[in-house]
Amino acid sequence: MKKLLLSTLLVGVATLANAQKSEVNESQKSWNLYVTMISSQGYAKSMDALNKGLAHTDLAIANEKSKVMPEAWSYRALLSSEISRLDTVDVNNALSKQKIAEEAIGKAKTLDTKGSEKDNIATAEINLINAKRNRGVRAYNNKDYAGAMTIFKELLAANPKDTAMYINVGVTANLTGKYQEAVDNFKKVVSLNVPESKDFYIQIINLQTDKLKDTTAALATIQEALAKFPNEANFIGAETDLYIAKGDIVKSQESLAKLIAKDPSKEVYHYLMGDTYYKQALAVQETRNKLDAKKTKEYDALSAKIVALIDQSIPFYKKALDINPKYVPALETLKQIYAFKNDTANWEAIKKRLDAIPAN
């Protein structure tokens, strides 16, 4: 009787273990079926197939025998991570499945000593990355910039070499008023030498000057940018503007004079030299406009200063046009100047030249 009972018990255990092994097999079948039919079945059917497969893994990991099988966890990771990625309707469900997937990935890695499940584990990890990225994009599109930034920062922490995430964090930080954080992330993008580095330098400089009001930091960024792109007009112009804003006209003109001496054929250098005078004139004009109307003497003195500065700028703009007759910035500025001076003949001549240039 003891032997018979023992054999009965052994059969019973084997049957239970096989039953639980079948749950793993069923979860695998569910996954394979989903992958096979993914292009032809709709959202509802896809979710149904994935949830049924995940339910099989619930039973598999509840059993002492099958819960130590790495494939039980790898398919659990696959199924739950795909639900997290696919579910764009129920955010809470997507997040709960993300947690299940994260746990399953950890368990699978621990149990998979032979590496037989490494591909499934890798796919599940990619699913989670895509799930998080998609949620971040949806949050951004819904103008939930703070929520999007939280997700993007989470992804960045997991992969500090992800250039796109530095950009995403920078963009959302800017939109939420966290300007220094935006600058820090855009600086990281620049340090990775992306092809769009010039554009990110410009964004950094604009944030430092317009939002952070930190002209010292902006000037340092400009000089860093000029070291990499010495002939870039945007950076030369920004440097000129900053020196003018700081009242250091001499420094600005010295810098431009060196550039002109190095390459006098660059129309932009002459144009920017003209700007060092013209923008001073505009600043004086603002001061004059604030004067009490009764202060005619002071008004006339400022008016004379404006005219003198404008007259100093004109030869540089003309020089730029001698080099490039279709250089629009110089033409536009001269048009403004001749309008200010009531010089109708020159204004019409410049307008005619501008009108002849095809629109881009």
Side-chain angles (χ1 to χ4, degrees), residues 7-8 35 63 94 138 183 262 273 278 296 323:
S7 64
T8 302
V35 171
N63 179 265
R138 287 197 297 274
V183 165
K262 182 180 178 181
M273 184 66 87
Y278 183 57
T296 55
I323 297 168

Side-chain angles (χ1 to χ4, degrees), residues 187-357:
K187 280 186 174 182
K188 185 64 180 179
V189 175
V190 167
S191 73
L192 295 172
N193 295 316
V194 299
E196 303 83 7
S197 288
K198 287 182 185 180
D199 296 330
F200 284 105
Y201 268 125
I202 291 170
Q203 183 71 6
I204 292 166
I205 294 163
N206 288 340
L207 285 168
Q208 289 172 327
T209 53
D210 299 340
K211 301 299 184 180
L212 296 172
K213 310 297 182 184
D214 189 345
T215 55
T216 302
L219 189 56
T221 301
I222 291 168
Q223 290 168 347
E224 178 187 318
L226 282 170
K228 293 183 180 180
F229 308 102
N231 296 318
E232 178 57 41
N234 284 317
F235 302 140
I236 298 167
E239 184 181 48
T240 299
D241 288 344
L242 270 184
Y243 281 134
I244 292 172
K246 290 165 71 72
D248 196 346
I249 307 301
V250 173
K251 183 71 174 176
S252 176
Q253 292 177 341
E254 284 177 355
S255 176
L256 286 167
K258 289 177 182 178
L259 290 170
I260 290 171
K262 182 180 178 181
D263 188 355
S265 66
K266 293 276 190 183
E267 67 268 30
V268 67
Y269 297 162
H270 299 278
Y271 167 78
L272 290 171
M273 184 66 87
D275 268 3
T276 64
Y277 296 102
Y278 183 57
K279 288 184 177 178
Q280 286 184 81
L282 294 177
V284 174
Q285 186 180 45
E286 285 188 18
T287 301
R288 188 191 66 176
N289 291 342
K290 295 175 183 176
L291 274 179
D292 188 320
K294 296 178 181 180
K295 295 183 177 181
T296 55
K297 185 177 180 180
E298 291 90 338
Y299 185 93
D300 290 343
L302 290 176
S303 296
K305 188 174 182 180
I306 291 168
V307 171
L309 287 166
I310 285 176
D311 287 344
Q312 285 177 285
S313 74
I314 292 173
F316 293 102
Y317 293 133
K318 287 184 174 180
K319 179 62 179 179
L321 291 175
D322 287 342
I323 297 168
N324 180 1
K326 295 182 179 180
Y327 190 58
V328 172
L331 288 168
E332 291 284 6
T333 305
L334 281 174
K335 183 182 174 185
Q336 293 173 11
I337 287 172
Y338 291 135
F340 172 80
K341 293 170 73 72
N342 293 318
D343 187 340
T344 305
N346 276 316
W347 184 89
E348 288 179 348
I350 293 294
K351 182 179 183 301
K352 185 176 180 180
R353 291 172 67 174
L354 277 168
D355 291 343
I357 298 174

Side-chain angles (χ1 to χ4, degrees), residues 63-98:
N63 179 265
E64 291 297 321
K65 297 291 184 180
S66 55
K67 76 176 185 180
V68 296
M69 297 168 61
E71 59 265 41
W73 292 99
S74 72
Y75 280 100
R76 184 172 179 79
L78 279 173
L79 292 156
S80 56
S81 65
E82 183 65 2
I83 294 171
S84 182
R85 186 193 71 82
L86 196 63
D87 194 346
T88 60
V89 178
D90 188 340
V91 174
N92 290 329
N93 181 55
L95 290 172
S96 69
K97 296 305 186 291
Q98 174 185 313

Side-chain angles (χ1 to χ4, degrees), residues 2-22:
K2 287 184 180 179
K3 288 183 179 180
L4 179 60
L5 181 59
L6 181 58
S7 64
T8 302
L9 288 174
L10 285 172
V11 170
V13 171
T15 301
L16 183 59
N18 286 333
Q20 297 309 318
K21 177 72 164 63
S22 71

